[in-house]
Amino acid sequence: LLRSLPYERERRITREMLSMSIQYYGLPRCMILAGLNFTCATLATRTRKLLELQVKESAEKHRIESELNVATQIQTSMLPTAFPEREEIDLFASMSPAREVGGDFYDFFMVDDRHLAIVMADVSGKGVPAALFMVIGKTLIKDHTNPDRDLGEVFSRVNDLLCESNSEGLFITAFEGVLDLVTGEFNFVNAGHEMPMISRGGKAFEAHKIRPGFVLAGMEGVRYRRFDLQLQPGDTLYLYTDGVTEATDAAQTLYGEARLQALLNRHHGA
């Protein structure tokens, strides 16, 4: 600006010249610097908040992963691994936990020398609460099962006890059966669980359709009914949880009971 002024032999800086310099040179640059300072401050604040959020999400993710690991350990440690070696039966069970651990469990134990109990159950919910409730349910069912007690009474008592200690509002679908290894008589009770599949003498699997009772821990005072089934040599009983039938593919299509039945029949005897 000063250079653009008319040349004089003796250059003088006047008040007007200073005012013009500030107006056309200094002030715009001050405004630019002020704007940059505001932008940098805003970016710094946003960056700090994003970093804090990332740290918080990372900590939450770690907490969830730790909880799922604990739940998985609880779940797997409670499952029996040694199958009874008896000439009268062949028994096998397996479980593959999903990414989100729930409370699915199975159990089998000798009630006495001639009676074998089998249990298949599924606790609602996920994580440690479901795994701990699984432990309680599994323990109560086993402790109350004996040859002289009706299975309907067993589930009725277990249901009342679970309702007393159910602060999380969970429930259990469960199936328990007791097989007489001498006579083949199979007594069972069903609390809202999936229907078992049965193959008679090596023939095709069919769903054994009965009306299941109410879920365990859902409501106090529920009374359960025992059912009887006569098994013969060569019969096969298949128990499962809804983790099979309610599994979905990429299109969110349920696997379903019909596909499970077809799969069993396709590989039966293989």
Side-chain angles (χ1 to χ4, degrees):
L1 178 62
L2 293 175
R3 291 179 180 178
S4 64
L5 296 176
Y7 174 77
E8 295 181 5
R9 182 174 298 177
E10 186 177 341
R11 180 174 294 176
R12 298 176 181 177
I13 300 175
T14 65
R15 180 179 298 176
E16 182 181 359
M17 293 168 60
L18 288 174
S19 177
M20 291 176 64
S21 297
I22 294 173
Q23 181 178 357
Y24 293 105
Y25 181 81
L27 186 60
R29 283 158 176 74
C30 289
M31 293 178 65
I32 291 173
L33 290 174
L36 287 174
N37 181 62
F38 175 77
T39 301
C40 291
T42 302
L43 288 174
T45 301
R46 291 180 178 179
T47 301
R48 185 178 66 253
K49 289 182 178 180
L50 287 174
L51 289 174
E52 291 174 352
L53 180 61
Q54 185 177 7
V55 170
K56 184 177 179 181
E57 289 179 347
S58 179
E60 179 67 12
K61 182 180 179 181
H62 179 72
R63 184 192 66 80
I64 293 174
E65 289 177 351
S66 298
E67 180 177 312
L68 290 178
N69 289 333
V70 171
T72 300
Q73 293 173 6
I74 294 173
Q75 189 178 42
T76 54
S77 66
M78 292 297 294
L79 300 177
T81 55
F83 298 97
E85 297 181 1
R86 301 289 299 240
E87 296 180 355
E88 302 92 337
I89 58 167
D90 289 321
L91 178 65
F92 181 77
S94 176
M95 184 185 70
S96 299
R99 182 173 58 184
E100 291 186 333
V101 180
D104 292 18
F105 69 93
Y106 62 82
D107 196 10
F108 47 84
F109 52 91
M110 295 299 300
V111 183
D112 58 20
D113 292 339
R114 62 180 283 178
H115 291 92
L116 171 70
I118 58 174
V119 179
M120 183 69 62
D122 181 10
V123 180
S124 65
K126 303 292 182 183
V128 173
L132 294 177
F133 205 61
M134 176 209 78
V135 175
I136 297 173
K138 179 178 180 294
T139 303
L140 288 176
I141 291 174
K142 186 173 184 177
D143 288 348
H144 286 79
T145 300
N146 64 71
D148 301 322
R149 192 171 190 181
D150 184 274
L151 286 180
E153 295 178 2
V154 172
F155 267 33
S156 296
R157 179 56 179 159
V158 169
N159 174 70
D160 290 340
L161 292 173
L162 288 173
C163 287
E164 293 176 2
S165 56
N166 190 13
S167 59
E168 295 289 335
L170 303 175
F171 63 85
I172 304 176
T173 69
F175 179 101
E176 182 183 20
V178 175
L179 174 65
D180 188 324
L181 298 176
V182 176
T183 66
E185 182 181 9
F186 185 69
N187 302 324
F188 65 93
V189 59
N190 191 333
H193 201 71
E194 279 67 35
M195 296 178 292
M197 299 278 187
I198 185 170
S199 166
R200 294 286 193 178
K203 297 181 181 179
F205 275 95
E206 294 181 353
H208 187 70
K209 296 183 178 180
I210 57 161
R211 185 176 180 179
F214 196 57
V215 297
L216 296 175
M219 182 173 60
E220 288 186 77
V222 176
R223 292 295 170 257
Y224 296 86
R225 176 186 172 187
R226 185 201 75 191
F227 295 88
D228 302 316
L229 185 65
Q230 185 64 43
L231 296 178
Q232 302 293 338
D235 291 351
T236 303
L237 192 68
Y238 179 81
L239 303 175
Y240 57 97
T241 71
D242 61 10
V244 177
T245 53
E246 293 185 3
T248 57
D249 58 16
Q252 299 301 307
T253 303
L254 291 174
Y255 189 81
E257 182 183 313
R259 291 178 65 183
L260 172 61
Q261 185 175 346
L263 179 68
L264 290 173
N265 288 325
R266 188 161 59 247
H267 295 280
H268 185 43

